[in-house]
Amino acid sequence: MPRGLLALAIGAFGIGTTEFVVMGMLPQIADGLGVSVSAVGMLISAYAIGVVVGAPTLTAFGVRFSSRQTLVGLMVVFVVGNALSAFAPTYETLTAARVLTALSHGAFFGVGAVAARRLVSPDRATQAISLMLTGLTLANVIGVPLGTFVAQQTSWRLVLGGIAVIGLVTIACLLAWMPADVGEPGDLRAELRAFRRGQVWMVLGLTMVGFAALFAVYSYVSPILTELGGIPEAWVTPVLALFGVGTTVGTLLGGRFGDRYGFSFVAVGLVATSVVLAAFAFVARTPVAAVLLLVLFGTVSFALGPVVQNGVIEAAQVRGGSLVSAANQGAFNIANAVGAALGALVLSAGFGYTAPVWVGAVLALVGAGVAVLTQAVSRRGNDPAAVAAVPAPEVVGSTA
């Protein structure tokens, strides 16, 4: 594995940890700042806004620099944001610091995906992206539980300070391991022209619909497990850890299957997701079966992420493609909002906790239809194909 991929994975681990660990530290932050838990919960929304704003903005600004320069700059923003969060004296300053931190999130994954592809041969592009994204999934397995424990035992400020240190480690690794010529400065106008391609929008639409299925269920997984499955609250965290293991395995498998089967794998995977969710809805009151299907759901869902990320870069048909790559990260966050909102809608309508699961199943089927349509358009050649191989840039870096 090129060491540059390890640097990207470390950065992804830090970003994933800082995004999700706040959910486990809500009571401690509320007590420390003298505000309500619901007020602290708004930090999650503030972070999401920062991701959506920062992904296109900072990526567009970074086009004029090499990928390594841009990634290092984004990590500097990340370090400063987390350091300010750790020392924030008031709720308002913490909110501002969290938004600043989030600005680097989408841009890092967008630019990082493009850089990862350039570190390997074209037939391993999706695997390279999956290795970077593994850092994100491991954050939910290791970083978030550990950060929550440290916050409970010591201080939430120490956790955010520790995440800033992870950012500094990432900067050092990028400078040491990421080749300076991994991505030359690009042309912003060429990057923007990629958005004229119909299949770029089809892939972005697929992300927003297909992955909304994941968030429609995952957003309410705790009450689903406790209210339907009868699982004690004390067991929810270990179950979510198992879910995290499933997502990690799925991300790695998705890299391999994506390079082999392309977008056909996405269509099949979304159909499989729908089937798994339908089965989950029927057996949700059986704890063992529910947990097994939940882990399988995480495995299948996260296997699709690297394939879609690689697909949108190829759909751009431009040298680089970092802007559409970052746009796909914004689409993931829109999927998060849409899925959670639709889940809340059916719950508020009184349909019970199986309703979000059925919403997820339907969204997955719709996403599968979009994937099939994308593949069909590609084969007819009506638009430059999102899944067709583009002239690959020269592979740089060592495999040491």
Side-chain angles (χ1 to χ4, degrees):
M1 179 180 70
R3 290 178 295 181
L5 290 179
L6 179 57
L8 292 173
I10 295 171
F13 177 84
I15 290 174
T17 302
T18 202
E19 178 182 16
F20 296 114
V21 76
V22 167
M23 300 177 188
M25 303 191 304
L26 292 180
Q28 289 76 31
I29 296 176
D31 290 342
L33 297 178
V35 297
S36 67
V37 171
S38 60
V40 178
M42 291 302 295
L43 292 175
I44 300 171
S45 299
Y47 189 94
I49 293 171
V51 174
V52 174
V53 172
T57 304
L58 294 189
T59 303
F61 180 77
V63 165
R64 70 190 69 181
F65 303 102
S66 70
S67 293
R68 188 175 77 165
Q69 290 172 325
T70 302
L71 289 167
V72 169
L74 292 169
M75 271 294 112
V76 169
V77 174
F78 177 82
V79 170
V80 172
N82 278 289
L84 291 176
S85 298
F87 291 101
T90 66
Y91 172 76
E92 290 75 17
T93 54
L94 177 59
T95 302
R98 289 293 292 173
V99 172
L100 175 63
T101 304
L103 292 176
S104 64
H105 181 125
F108 183 89
F109 284 112
V111 177
V114 174
R117 297 173 79 247
R118 290 179 60 87
L119 291 171
V120 299
S121 58
D123 62 328
R124 297 177 59 202
T126 310
Q127 290 184 58
I129 294 174
S130 73
L131 288 171
M132 177 187 69
L133 294 178
T134 298
L136 180 63
T137 60
L138 285 176
N140 284 308
V141 180
I142 302 173
V144 173
L146 180 60
T148 301
F149 175 79
V150 172
Q152 293 170 344
Q153 301 301 316
T154 57
S155 170
W156 58 271
R157 296 183 184 276
L158 181 62
V159 174
L160 295 176
I163 295 173
V165 173
I166 295 175
L168 291 174
V169 172
T170 303
I171 292 173
C173 292
L174 286 170
L175 293 174
W177 297 338
M178 184 68 70
D181 58 345
V182 72
E184 69 283 353
D187 182 354
L188 179 58
R189 286 179 293 183
E191 294 271 357
L192 290 172
R193 282 197 296 269
F195 288 97
R196 297 178 183 176
R197 300 184 179 275
Q199 278 200 291
V200 167
W201 290 103
M202 292 179 72
V203 179
L204 293 176
L206 168 63
T207 298
M208 287 185 279
V209 176
F211 287 91
L214 168 65
F215 295 109
V217 179
Y218 188 68
S219 299
Y220 307 99
V221 66
S222 292
I224 288 173
L225 290 173
T226 56
E227 298 295 329
L228 290 180
I231 295 175
E233 289 188 6
W235 282 95
V236 170
T237 298
V239 169
L240 292 182
L242 286 176
F243 180 87
V245 172
T247 63
T248 302
V249 173
T251 300
L252 293 173
L253 290 177
R256 293 186 175 276
F257 287 120
D259 281 329
R260 185 170 181 179
Y261 300 109
F263 250 54
S264 296
F265 176 70
V266 177
V268 173
L270 285 169
V271 171
T273 298
S274 183
V275 172
V276 170
L277 287 177
F280 181 73
F282 282 112
V283 304
R285 297 186 184 279
T286 306
V288 174
V291 171
L292 290 176
L293 285 173
L294 181 66
V295 174
L296 181 60
F297 166 60
T299 302
V300 176
S301 297
F302 274 74
L304 308 180
V307 192
V308 175
Q309 191 69 40
N310 188 56
V312 78
I313 296 171
E314 292 185 338
Q317 293 288 294
V318 296
R319 188 171 182 84
S322 59
L323 200 55
V324 294
S325 182
N328 199 52
Q329 291 298 313
F332 274 116
N333 278 270
I334 293 174
N336 190 342
V338 170
L342 290 176
L345 181 64
V346 294
L347 285 174
S348 62
F351 291 111
Y353 282 110
T354 57
V357 180
W358 287 113
V359 169
V362 172
L363 288 170
L365 277 181
V366 175
V370 177
V372 170
L373 181 60
T374 303
Q375 188 80 346
V377 171
S378 168
R379 288 173 177 171
R380 287 198 304 266
N382 292 343
D383 196 29
V387 293
V390 297
E394 181 181 356
V395 178
V396 298
S398 69
T399 56

